[in-house]
């Protein structure tokens, strides 16, 4: 008698290994966050610890939404590709290509917001307001992602992303018009 399960079904030992690897990653992330607590401001550290605590308090093997993580990586790749093909490519030494603390905090807030924490939309807006150039780059990549979604229906695009795009646009414009970010948006 044959079985209806394919040969690549995970065995219990594989699940245990994946669980231990994810626990190790969570503990390692927490240690890195605590080790860098001296040099980073409280919003970044608080958000990083919230992401780690949410990942470690879940009963799932991996609680980060992998679709959202893939979307963030794809957006970063799209930003780099856009920079290369737009004629302004000068290499890494030509521009400051490091992620700022506001970018990293905004990325973690994005993960938390798309994971269900509706209060993190203001945090995403604050990151966009503090770094309007990065926000414009992410918006250009998000618009490209949306166009790809319309052409290729297999690419996911939730209506929640449209809300994020509008919020990021408004926050970046607020900053460009001389608005005080801390007065309007909270971490």
């Amino acid at each position: 008698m044959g079985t209806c399960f394919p040969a690549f079904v995970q065995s219990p030992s594989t699940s245990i290994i994946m669980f231990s690897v994810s626990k190790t990653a969570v503990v390692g992330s927490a240690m890195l966050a605590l080790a860098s607590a001296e040099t980073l401001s409280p919003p970044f550290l608080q958000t990083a610890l919230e992401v780690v605590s949410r990942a470690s308090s879940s009963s799932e093997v991996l609680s980060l939404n992998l679709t959202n993580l893939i979307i963030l990586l794809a957006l970063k790749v799209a930003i780099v590709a856009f920079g290369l093909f737009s004629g302004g490519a000068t290499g890494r030494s030509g521009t400051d290509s490091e992620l700022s603390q506001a970018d990293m905090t905004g990325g973690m807030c994005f993960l938390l917001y798309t994971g269900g924490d509706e209060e993190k939309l203001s945090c995403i807006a604050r990151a966009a307001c503090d770094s309007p150039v990065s926000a414009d780059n992410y918006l250009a990549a998000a618009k490209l992602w949306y166009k790809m979604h319309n052409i290729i229906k297999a690419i996911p695009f939730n209506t929640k992303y449209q809300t994020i795009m509008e919020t990021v646009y408004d926050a970046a414009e607020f900053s460009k018009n001389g608005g005080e970010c801390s007065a309007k948006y909270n971490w």
Side-chain angles (χ1 to χ4, degrees):
M1 287 186 129
T3 175
C4 63
F5 294 108
F8 56 84
V9 173
Q10 290 181 349
S11 67
S13 63
T14 305
S15 296
I16 292 170
I17 291 170
M18 288 181 64
F19 181 70
S20 65
V21 167
S22 67
K23 282 178 69 175
T24 304
V26 167
V27 170
S29 298
M31 289 175 59
L32 283 174
L34 291 175
S36 62
E38 298 270 332
T39 60
L40 300 175
S41 71
F44 175 79
L45 179 61
Q46 180 182 9
T47 307
L49 291 176
E50 189 175 342
V51 169
V52 169
S53 70
R54 183 173 288 186
S56 64
S57 66
S58 176
S59 63
E60 298 174 9
V61 173
L62 185 61
S63 65
L64 286 177
N65 188 338
L66 292 179
T67 302
N68 294 337
L69 188 59
I70 290 169
I71 289 171
L72 278 176
L73 291 174
L75 287 174
K76 190 65 178 177
V77 168
I79 289 169
V80 171
F82 180 75
L84 288 174
F85 296 124
S86 66
T90 58
R92 283 193 166 262
S93 62
T95 60
D96 184 20
S97 62
E98 288 185 21
L99 288 175
S100 70
Q101 186 175 336
D103 291 338
M104 292 181 0
T105 303
M108 287 185 289
C109 289
F110 173 82
L111 288 173
L112 291 169
Y113 177 77
T114 55
D117 190 353
E118 300 290 328
E119 295 175 358
K120 293 299 178 185
L121 187 60
S122 178
C123 176
I124 295 170
R126 174 69 185 267
C129 187
D130 282 349
S131 183
V133 173
S134 291
D136 286 343
N137 289 337
Y138 281 115
L139 278 174
K143 289 175 185 176
L144 177 64
W145 187 270
Y146 181 68
K147 287 179 183 177
M148 289 187 327
H149 164 74
N150 286 335
I151 295 170
I152 307 169
K153 298 299 181 193
I155 295 177
F157 192 88
N158 193 325
T159 56
K160 188 180 277 193
Y161 301 142
Q162 188 69 33
T163 303
I164 295 170
M165 288 171 60
E166 291 168 359
T167 302
V168 167
Y169 176 78
D170 291 342
E173 290 301 311
F174 180 76
S175 176
K176 290 176 195 174
N177 292 330
E180 179 61 36
C181 299
S182 61
K184 187 170 182 180
Y185 304 109
N186 299 319
W187 287 112

